[in-house]
Amino acid sequence: MGYDCTLHVVDEDVIRTKFVPRLLDESNEFAPFDTRDDANELWATVRESLAQIESGSEAPHRAAVTISQLAVAFSAAELPYHYERGFCLSMWDSHQEEAVTALFPKKHRGNPETLFAALISRHPALKGEFPTDIESNFCTGVYIPANKVPQALKWVTRKVNSFAKPDRRLFRGLLLVLKEAARQGKAYWEGTDLPVPMATMHPPESERIPGLEDWKNPDDVYMDFLVQDGPTLVFAHGIGFPRDCRTVHIDLSHWPPKTTVVWNEYAVSAARSLSGRWVTASMTKDQEYMYRARVRTSVEEEPTLLLPPEERENGLSWASFIGDRVIAVLRAMMEYPNASRGDYSVERLIPSYPLLEEDGRLVPIAELSPSPERFPNIGSITLRDGSNVFIWDYVGYEFRNGEFTPSFSVPGRWSVFDNCALVTRGLDGFYFFHEEEGLFSVRRGEAAVRHLPKLNNVRGISPGPGNSVLVREFGERSDLGKLYFPDEQTYVRIEPDVFPDEDPFDIRSLHYIKECDRLIAATPYRLWSRPIEYVLSLPRYNAATGRIRRSKPS
């Protein structure tokens, strides 16, 4: 059972003088909470709970829990709060790793019952029933009255500063909420699975680190990163499909960025050819879950469909370019020969296979066999010597004179959701990664070479400044990534504090944008930016040993 916790700044006077009178039908004064579509339904639920206390059909404690939930939601409509998965003061001593476990002192706590004196006067059975700790999902927890918030903030700050630096990240939201409550002279209250939209807090501009900037998606929709093409990052949004889907192109040539939206299209891959054509493997609401190759000469234009000889249940899994021709992969599927008898124990893979654009259609590539894997490794890249390479399973095929010839051994393994898997190296090589074994490079006709031997938790790679490579890591205590300089055999650690106002697990990819000379961290809802000169000023580490390098490279 998981907990979606929210940590709230709460105005005690608003709860006493506005919320409680509304609940008792003694006032109908408008409040920001009333703009919610479900406001009347929530009021009715709590009033019904009160009525059931009087009839004896509901326990007073259950009613007090319901009242507390609505009181916090009422406050959240006009005051800031912060979402945190699995953490709040109530859970500090029981749901965290041992290294950061703490018991929040009773002397800093209060009882929310003090907010509901008029309500308890009308319904005496509620006395002593309001929760003061998280008891289960859908419950409020620790309450700190406004007069105790400053001392509570001091205690939390000291405790958090006693932890190792990488462990402090979990507490940034709590500190932000307590600081804001102290600044406004308000109370703190927390809960889990409360009826409020998920929201996060960030430090005020006055406390922002110089050079650190963020850009929030103006439509406030969840974005999945697809691909980087020079200064352009492409994202897809499909939550709510088919009612709401889109592909978002974000141009970072300048900061703040500019967006171009392709509506009614959810893409699982996107690519641009050297001549400027765009292709997506995408679906639209008229053909739900059927992914097709849609080609445009520019993002703003209507697409042309390239159809394969068969589409199966879901069509394509990927589309890109080899030179200026579209290359795509038909999605594998599982077949159950005995399904008509209700027996799904026997399954058979109908394998995926690659397709190439020819005369306005996608046709199978004769010299490439179907993959024996359900999710084969796929990729394409144009090398600096002009060669076009297609990755199919563990081989890189060059496309020359109308044929695909095996030229590269690519023992990588990346997820079908990893869209930054290849980066050029030199004239005739490229970098790739294995999710468990780290970063590799390969040149034509040679065996693959491993880099950064101590790094084995790679999530993606992308081009860095000069000949460097940005490596995105994942893991509970890992860096965000490394900026790797192969010519010098050094790297810079990109620690979470490079982007201190973001949860590291929400940073899905890292990008260097030459045009604005910035390092970009992409999350589902926003982009964070820091000048690359700051990153380049950080200490260098020896790539082989992982030890800090005392002297600067010549």
Side-chain angles (χ1 to χ4, degrees), residues 330-446:
L330 185 67
R331 190 181 299 262
M333 62 180 288
M334 301 305 298
E335 183 178 68
Y336 300 90
N338 302 327
S340 61
R341 302 196 298 269
D343 178 7
Y344 291 89
S345 63
V346 179
E347 61 182 21
R348 182 170 62 212
L349 178 69
I350 309 297
S352 60
Y353 59 86
L355 305 148
L356 188 65
E357 179 182 7
E358 188 174 302
D359 297 328
R361 292 186 62 83
L362 292 172
V363 300
I365 300 173
E367 59 267 34
L368 299 183
S369 301
S371 172
E373 301 192 16
R374 186 171 185 183
F375 301 110
N377 274 9
I378 306 167
S380 67
I381 187 170
T382 299
L383 304 185
R384 291 175 184 167
D385 65 5
S387 303
N388 297 302
V389 180
F390 172 52
I391 311 300
W392 182 234
D393 278 333
Y394 305 105
V395 178
Y397 295 88
E398 284 190 83
F399 187 59
R400 290 183 174 179
N401 301 318
E403 292 185 348
F404 287 89
T405 303
S407 300
F408 300 88
S409 172
V410 188
R413 168 52 61 188
W414 50 86
S415 163
V416 292
F417 303 108
D418 290 321
N419 290 283
C420 42
L422 305 173
V423 173
T424 56
R425 185 185 187 194
L427 288 176
D428 63 346
F430 55 91
Y431 295 93
F432 60 92
F433 69 91
H434 189 292
E435 289 181 322
E436 298 175 353
E437 298 178 16
L439 181 67
F440 292 80
S441 70
V442 66
R443 297 181 62 186
R444 185 181 292 112
E446 297 182 2

Side-chain angles (χ1 to χ4, degrees), residues 45-60 62-63:
T45 297
V46 178
R47 290 189 178 111
E48 176 63 22
S49 186
L50 288 172
Q52 288 176 349
I53 293 177
E54 300 305 315
S55 68
S57 58
E58 177 157 300
R62 183 64 255 166

Side-chain angles (χ1 to χ4, degrees), residues 22-73:
R22 282 284 296 275
L23 189 57
L24 294 173
D25 287 322
E26 295 176 352
S27 169
N28 60 0
E29 181 182 349
F30 174 82
F33 177 81
D34 296 318
T35 62
R36 289 181 53 147
D37 293 338
D38 60 352
N40 290 335
E41 178 184 350
L42 292 172
W43 282 118
T45 297
V46 178
R47 290 189 178 111
E48 176 63 22
S49 186
L50 288 172
Q52 288 176 349
I53 293 177
E54 300 305 315
S55 68
S57 58
E58 177 157 300
H61 183 69
R62 183 64 255 166
V65 170
T66 305
I67 293 163
S68 299
Q69 289 184 70
L70 185 62
V72 176

Side-chain angles (χ1 to χ4, degrees), residues 191-324:
T192 176
D193 302 286
L194 301 183
V196 296
M198 297 305 174
T200 55
M201 290 177 62
H202 298 283
E205 289 294 331
S206 60
E207 297 181 16
R208 181 71 55 84
I209 293 174
L212 176 65
E213 299 184 67
D214 73 312
W215 173 88
K216 192 174 189 301
N217 182 337
D219 294 327
D220 197 31
V221 297
Y222 188 99
M223 303 186 302
D224 288 311
F225 172 68
L226 293 180
V227 72
Q228 176 180 353
D229 182 76
T232 300
L233 304 182
V234 185
F235 297 82
H237 166 72
I239 297 176
F241 182 89
R243 179 180 53 83
D244 181 15
C245 63
R246 66 197 79 173
T247 304
V248 184
H249 295 247
I250 302 179
D251 181 2
L252 285 148
S253 298
H254 303 281
W255 187 268
K258 173 186 175 183
T259 63
T260 302
V261 179
V262 178
W263 295 96
N264 184 35
E265 182 179 309
Y266 175 70
V268 291
S269 71
R272 189 175 72 97
S273 72
L274 293 178
S275 69
R277 297 173 79 203
W278 279 98
V279 65
T280 57
S282 56
M283 65 174 174
T284 55
K285 64 183 179 182
D286 58 321
Q287 291 284 332
E288 292 184 34
Y289 307 110
M290 178 59 72
Y291 293 89
R292 291 172 164 170
R294 290 177 167 83
V295 185
R296 294 173 168 86
T297 54
S298 70
V299 174
E300 294 83 0
E301 293 191 0
E302 288 297 310
T304 299
L305 289 179
L306 288 180
L307 299 178
E310 61 168 325
E311 292 193 291
R312 300 177 178 172
E313 292 180 333
N314 301 119
L316 305 178
S317 62
W318 176 86
S320 186
F321 287 98
I322 284 291
D324 206 45

